[in-house]
Amino acid sequence: MTTATEPLTANSATASLDAAGQAAANPDAAKPAEQDDPRALTLANVERALDEVRPYLMADGGNVEVVEIDGPIVKVRLQGACGSCPSSTMTLKMGLERKLREAIPEVSEVVQVL
């Protein structure tokens, strides 16, 4: 029986070093695979894709906010001038939805919430 004051045996020390060595040698091993995939349906990837179209929305006095990801459906809120624009449906479907579906194939639809 080993007590807290006794030194570690060679086997227990080696086991600790092996586990630490594996983690240090491969830091990505602890990350889920979907975090590495830029085409996975995650909030970070949705935001990254929307960041590419935001300058166009902002040029017209608007913006977009991700409200929720519900399965393959991304729910967004159009802000500023985009929220009340008569062309907001076209912006939503032909702009935002098209961009998100290109970047993240798992997206089936983009829906506006108020």
Side-chain angles (χ1 to χ4, degrees), residues 72-91:
I73 299 170
V74 178
K75 297 180 181 180
V76 299
R77 180 176 295 121
L78 295 175
Q79 301 173 328
C82 291
S84 59
C85 176
S87 299
S88 64
T89 302
M90 289 297 283
T91 298

Side-chain angles (χ1 to χ4, degrees), residues 5-88:
T5 58
E6 291 181 21
L8 293 174
T9 63
N11 288 340
S12 63
T14 303
S16 297
L17 288 175
D18 286 345
Q22 285 179 347
N26 190 2
D28 293 332
K31 294 180 185 177
E34 65 186 33
Q35 285 183 349
D36 295 334
D37 184 4
R39 296 176 60 87
L41 182 52
T42 64
L43 179 59
N45 290 341
V46 168
E47 289 288 350
R48 190 175 313 126
L50 290 176
D51 283 344
E52 293 181 26
V53 297
R54 277 195 172 101
Y56 304 105
L57 298 174
M58 290 177 175
D60 289 330
N63 203 347
V64 63
E65 168 193 12
V66 177
V67 175
E68 179 183 12
I69 298 174
D70 185 13
I73 299 170
V74 178
K75 297 180 181 180
V76 299
R77 180 176 295 121
L78 295 175
Q79 301 173 328
C82 291
S84 59
C85 176
S87 299
S88 64

